[in-house]
Amino acid sequence: MMDPRRIALNRRHSQEMGSLFARFLDAHPDVESEVHSAQMTDEQDAAWTKFSGELLRRHQAERSALASVIEAEQRQREVRD
């Protein structure tokens, strides 16, 4: 079973990334987000990577920190058992 804190963190990250992508689309009206199977060009993809990099790094750090907490708690439970 997935830890409820991890579920909540994933949900928040998904919402934040969705919000950021909406801002990216506002700033890049040439991106065809409404067309199914439309692919971003290499230039658009590079722009998104740059635009989302800081948030992605923060999300990775938050997931890593939470994983460390959960693992430490599991080790403590194993020692007590």
Side-chain angles (χ1 to χ4, degrees), residues 73 75-81:
E73 291 171 356
R75 281 193 300 274
Q76 288 177 345
R77 282 193 296 275
E78 290 170 0
V79 167
R80 286 188 302 230
D81 291 344

Side-chain angles (χ1 to χ4, degrees), residues 20-58:
L20 185 68
F21 191 66
R23 290 198 309 271
F24 174 76
L25 293 176
D26 286 344
H28 298 85
D30 57 316
V31 175
E32 298 282 343
S33 67
E34 303 300 322
V35 179
H36 291 296
S37 76
Q39 296 290 317
M40 284 195 279
T41 66
D42 289 343
E43 294 80 15
Q44 292 167 338
D45 191 51
W48 168 245
T49 298
K50 182 177 179 183
F51 195 85
S52 63
E54 182 179 330
L55 182 61
L56 185 58
R57 283 187 292 279
R58 182 171 59 82

Side-chain angles (χ1 to χ4, degrees), residues 10 28 60:
N10 288 345
H28 298 85
Q60 289 169 334

